[in-house]
């Protein structure tokens, strides 16, 4: 495929590298050549099979609008923009294109979400929940998108809204700790990312999956298929 990577940061660079290893033709646009989505010209969009976005909360919305209006399927790993989710879904439906987003593209993390969903009923049996997330000092959004996803999973089952503690330290890739505590025992669930390569691999596999499809998807719903 012809893949357009939006964002030349650490994760974007790994996405481009992994996509090339998978045999795809890759083009990248950084912030300097894509201010407000202006780098997404009709010519570039015509030559793109799928776009993968790992930018910033401010940059991602113009990128989404340009890609959807041009009919370019899109994978979005950027977080911090979910207040616009309903409007983006409307745009995807209106343009009859394909869009897949995720708070975390690590395959392991998405199975971690499923594990949390499996134990969430414990909150109806006297357990209380807390979430701790730790990331590198450069991360723009707080709390992390993954922590918010975990919070929603727990709340959907019990009605309890877990508190999230956010830490920013050094170059930490990403650690999430979920604590379910009762007077009798404590359950601890941890996902600790070793490198960003897991995010890159998941995003590229999602791009391969979405080609030829139409619709609005979230990565946890399709992780078993990529």
């Amino acid at each position: 495929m012809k893949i357009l990577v939006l964002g030349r940061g650490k994760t974007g660079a790994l996405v481009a590298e992994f996509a090339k290893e998978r045999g795809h033709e890759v083009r990248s646009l950084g912030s300097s050549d894509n201010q407000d989505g202006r780098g997404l010209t009709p010519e570039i969009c015509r030559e793109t099979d799928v776009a993968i976005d790992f930018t910033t909360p401010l940059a991602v919305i113009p990128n989404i609008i340009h890609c959807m209006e041009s009919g370019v399927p899109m994978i979005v790993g950027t977080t911090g923009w979910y207040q616009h989710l309903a409007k983006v879904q409307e745009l995807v439906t209106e343009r009859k294109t394909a869009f897949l987003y995720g708070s975390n593209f690590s395959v392991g993390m998405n199975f971690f979400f499923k594990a949390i969903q499996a134990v969430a009923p414990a909150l109806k049996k006297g357990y209380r929940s807390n979430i701790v997330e730790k990331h590198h000092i450069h991360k723009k959004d707080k709390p992390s998108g993954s922590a918010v996803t975990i919070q929603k999973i727990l709340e959907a089952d019990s009605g309890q809204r877990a508190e999230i503690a956010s830490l920013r330290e050094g170059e930490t890739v990403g650690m999430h700790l979920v604590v379910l505590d009762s007077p009798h025992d404590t359950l601890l669930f941890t996902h600790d990312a070793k490198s960003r390569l897991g995010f890159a691999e998941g995003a590229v596999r999602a791009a391969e999956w979405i080609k030829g499809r139409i619709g609005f998807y979230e990565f946890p719903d399709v992780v078993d298929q990529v």
Side-chain angles (χ1 to χ4, degrees):
M1 295 190 302
K2 295 181 178 179
I3 293 179
L4 175 64
V5 179
L6 301 174
R8 288 196 182 120
K10 292 179 179 178
T11 304
L14 284 173
V15 168
E17 181 182 329
F18 185 76
K20 289 175 184 175
E21 290 177 0
R22 298 277 290 179
H24 302 298
E25 184 179 329
V26 178
R27 181 171 190 167
S28 297
L29 291 178
S31 58
S32 61
D33 41 23
N34 188 36
Q35 289 287 334
D36 298 321
R38 289 194 289 268
L40 294 166
T41 63
E43 180 183 359
I44 287 179
C45 289
R46 280 195 301 271
E47 295 175 352
T48 300
D49 293 320
V50 182
I52 301 177
D53 188 295
F54 279 93
T55 56
T56 67
L58 289 178
V60 67
I61 295 300
N63 290 342
I64 291 172
I65 292 171
H66 279 78
C67 285
M68 294 302 98
E69 291 185 344
S70 300
V72 177
M74 196 173 191
I75 307 297
V76 174
T78 306
T79 57
W81 60 273
Y82 295 157
Q83 67 272 28
H84 304 296
L85 204 55
K87 291 184 178 179
V88 169
Q89 187 168 9
E90 288 178 10
L91 181 60
V92 172
T93 302
E94 176 187 317
R95 294 293 177 172
K96 294 183 175 60
T97 186
F99 184 90
L100 189 155
Y101 76 99
S103 60
N104 192 309
F105 273 86
S106 158
V107 171
M109 184 52 148
N110 282 271
F111 283 106
F112 184 75
F113 291 153
K114 293 178 184 291
I116 297 303
Q117 193 166 29
V119 299
L123 296 178
K124 298 176 182 177
K125 304 294 183 181
Y127 287 81
R128 304 291 298 178
S129 60
N130 288 283
I131 303 164
V132 179
E133 60 97 351
K134 183 168 70 173
H135 286 83
H136 52 87
I137 58 174
H138 314 289
K139 186 168 177 61
K140 299 289 193 296
D141 54 319
K142 184 191 291 188
S144 70
S146 297
V148 172
T149 298
I150 293 167
Q151 184 186 57
K152 289 178 178 177
I153 290 170
L154 294 170
E155 187 176 7
D157 197 276
S158 67
Q160 292 185 30
R161 192 170 182 81
E163 291 188 8
I164 301 175
S166 298
L167 306 173
R168 297 293 175 263
E169 182 179 292
E171 297 298 327
T172 304
V173 176
M175 187 281 297
H176 292 83
L177 169 67
V178 180
V179 181
L180 301 184
D181 190 50
S182 80
H184 311 299
D185 55 16
T186 301
L187 306 178
L188 302 174
F189 299 87
T190 305
H191 180 273
D192 194 1
K194 295 179 180 180
S195 78
R196 292 179 175 83
L197 187 57
F199 310 144
E201 179 177 347
V204 172
R205 291 185 182 277
E208 293 169 347
W209 178 87
I210 207 170
K211 186 182 179 184
R213 299 177 189 269
I214 293 175
F216 185 86
Y217 306 94
E218 188 173 4
F219 192 54
D221 299 327
V222 305
V223 68
D224 294 332
Q225 304 172 45
V226 301

